Amino acid sequence: MARKTYSAEFRRDAVELYRTTPTATVAGIAADLGIMDTTLSGWIKAAGVPIRGQSRPRSSAPPPGESPEQELVRLRSKVRELEDEKRKLSTEREILRAAAKYFGRGDELVSRFQFVAEHQSTFEVKRLCQVVQIARSSFYKWLGAAPTRAARRADDQALAARIAAVHAADAACGAPRITVELNDGVPAAERVNHKRVARVMREHHIAGIRLRRRVRTTVPGPDGQKVPDLLERDFTADAPNTKYVGDITYLPCGDKRFLYLATVIDCYSRRLVGWSIADHMRTDLVADALRAAAAERGSLSGAIFHADHGSVYTSKDYATLCERLGVIRSMGAVGSSADNAMAESFNATLKRETLAGAHGWPDPATARRSVFAWITRYNTRRRHSWCGYLSPVTYENAHHGAARLATAA
């Protein structure tokens, strides 16, 4: 790098700034000007301005009337001072050389404490703390807390093993659901905080499966039927079997083959009440899902079913089926996924947790088995945040069942 030059005017102004600022230091003025402090010191000395805080060098001439014996004592004392200074500088150089390797990946405060702890048998603690710029009292306080940190690390290791066991059973689980699973049936004093679970998961590289990009499957119907939006993005219900949402999602099966899943989801508990899987997107696909829901509930009479404007949902055959089952149809706006966000979210969760980042299943049979197993677990075992981290079936039994008993009483 080329050496930077400064004009005579700049040098004069820098020296004058130092001379006229009594409280300033060479290092402070140099930092403000963006130059080396040794450079500024040279300019100040060349201008004949004394540098504050520097003592004038002692004269090498012996004091008047000093005897040879006194001179010998004085010189020996000076030699000892120089030797002590040399040892100090040598020690600091060795400490800095060791520290340069130690802090190669960062200079965190904990790393400095650890450095002093690991080198205190080689160097004096006082000197180590001075070189790495920490207070000795802080180091000894940190050192005294070592047993507590060791116990915490052991607790975190045990917690990590429990988290890994839950994650192995369901790789899609994130910190909130894992926390609920760990605290299920555990006394309040032994429960773990979700923030601690999240921290331990980060430290041990345990993470839930992330969402993949959605692919649109809605094909608008050409018949122009006008079906009102009865939900208006309110995906809540006061009781089961009153409001449903549904959608179709594709299931990639390799070699450009696809299966299609139609769903009927209860807004009260997020339970998947009816579904159907086929290798086509004809009206029979959604009709079979709705009939499965009617069979599961016993009756859908008076219930609202909300879907998008796909051609199968706007077909005359589907309208006839809804009329026969007593289902009230509802549809969102054309091209607005937010109007059917609950069904869209369900589809995304299903693919995220079954595919686990893969692009698809190897064949249709594997896809059917995988989706069927997941749906069964989703309804009966998978903890849902909407349900207070209960499964949809458990939520229905606990809340709606209790409500029926209260009404009967």
Side-chain angles (χ1 to χ4, degrees):
M1 180 182 293
R3 184 176 180 180
K4 189 172 183 179
T5 58
Y6 301 92
S7 66
E9 182 180 3
F10 180 86
R11 294 196 295 271
R12 284 196 304 270
D13 290 342
V15 172
E16 186 65 14
L17 178 62
Y18 175 78
R19 188 186 68 80
T20 58
T21 311
T23 59
T25 62
V26 173
I29 295 293
D32 292 340
L33 297 176
I35 61 177
M36 299 291 293
D37 52 356
T38 53
T39 302
L40 179 58
S41 297
W43 296 348
I44 294 172
K45 292 176 182 178
V49 176
I51 297 179
R52 291 181 287 273
Q54 284 190 355
S55 59
R56 294 188 177 183
R58 296 180 181 177
S59 173
S60 59
E66 183 180 49
S67 66
E69 291 80 7
Q70 292 174 327
E71 181 181 12
L72 180 61
V73 171
R74 178 175 58 80
L75 292 177
R76 285 177 176 174
S77 175
K78 183 64 176 178
V79 168
R80 283 195 297 271
E81 290 179 6
L82 293 175
E83 288 177 345
D84 290 342
E85 185 68 21
K86 180 182 178 182
R87 280 193 296 270
K88 176 183 176 182
L89 293 175
S90 177
T91 301
E92 290 182 355
R93 185 168 58 251
E94 292 178 14
I95 293 173
L96 290 172
R97 187 180 295 115
K101 297 178 181 178
Y102 194 90
F103 299 128
R105 296 183 180 179
D107 183 18
E108 298 179 358
L109 181 61
V110 173
S111 298
R112 282 183 272 169
F113 288 146
Q114 191 66 40
F115 173 77
V116 175
E118 293 181 4
H119 291 81
Q120 61 181 331
S121 60
T122 305
F123 305 103
E124 184 184 10
V125 171
K126 176 181 178 181
R127 186 71 60 210
L128 284 165
C129 291
Q130 288 176 344
V131 172
V132 299
Q133 298 181 346
I134 60 174
R136 270 189 297 169
S137 59
S138 299
F139 166 70
Y140 284 121
K141 183 177 180 180
W142 175 86
L143 195 63
T148 303
R149 289 196 303 276
R152 188 183 301 118
R153 283 195 299 270
D155 289 343
D156 284 350
Q157 287 290 344
L159 178 59
R162 295 169 58 199
I163 292 173
V166 175
H167 189 263
D170 183 2
C173 282
R177 282 165 54 198
I178 288 180
T179 302
V180 175
E181 189 70 31
L182 293 173
N183 291 334
D184 188 23
V186 175
E190 300 177 12
R191 294 179 181 177
V192 292
N193 183 275
H194 71 280
K195 293 181 180 180
R196 184 186 175 199
V197 172
R199 173 180 60 79
V200 172
M201 289 179 68
R202 285 194 304 271
E203 292 173 354
H204 290 79
H205 308 290
I206 302 173
I209 301 169
R210 299 183 182 275
L211 287 171
R212 296 180 58 83
R213 181 177 58 88
R214 291 188 295 106
V215 177
R216 186 184 178 194
T217 56
T218 301
V219 180
D223 56 3
Q225 289 189 46
K226 298 296 183 181
V227 177
D229 184 350
L230 301 178
L231 299 192
E232 295 182 345
R233 302 186 183 181
D234 179 12
F235 303 110
T236 63
D238 296 329
N241 201 26
T242 56
K243 289 166 61 174
Y244 293 92
V245 297
D247 194 13
I248 298 175
T249 188
Y250 78 104
L251 308 174
C253 302
D255 297 331
K256 298 182 180 180
R257 293 179 297 173
F258 296 93
L259 291 178
Y260 300 92
L261 170 68
T263 56
V264 180
I265 308 167
D266 195 312
C267 292
Y268 175 76
S269 62
R270 274 42 176 179
R271 179 180 178 181
L272 183 63
V273 179
W275 73 91
S276 177
I277 300 177
D279 58 1
H280 61 78
M281 283 201 303
R282 295 190 293 271
T283 303
D284 289 345
L285 175 66
V286 294
D288 288 345
L290 193 62
R291 281 192 286 263
E296 176 66 26
R297 290 302 195 191
S299 173
L300 296 178
S301 180
I304 296 173
F305 179 77
H306 181 84
D308 56 32
H309 272 78
S311 58
V312 291
Y313 290 115
T314 58
S315 67
K316 292 181 179 179
D317 290 343
Y318 189 74
T320 301
L321 175 62
C322 288
E323 184 177 357
R324 188 171 73 247
L325 295 176
V327 173
I328 303 170
R329 291 196 296 161
S330 170
M331 288 187 180
V334 176
S336 175
S337 61
D339 286 350
N340 201 20
M342 183 176 145
E344 297 272 359
S345 176
F346 175 89
N347 293 338
T349 300
L350 182 148
K351 289 185 180 179
R352 179 190 67 197
E353 299 189 4
T354 53
L355 288 174
H359 293 286
W361 291 273
D363 53 72
T366 303
R368 284 179 180 274
R369 288 194 300 269
S370 176
V371 172
F372 178 80
W374 184 87
I375 288 173
T376 302
R377 184 181 178 280
Y378 169 87
N379 277 335
T380 60
R381 292 181 54 202
R382 183 186 181 276
R383 298 180 183 275
H384 201 299
S385 58
W386 171 263
C387 302
Y389 289 101
L390 299 174
S391 70
V393 170
T394 303
Y395 181 79
E396 281 190 3
N397 293 338
H399 291 75
H400 187 61
R404 285 201 303 270
L405 290 174
T407 302

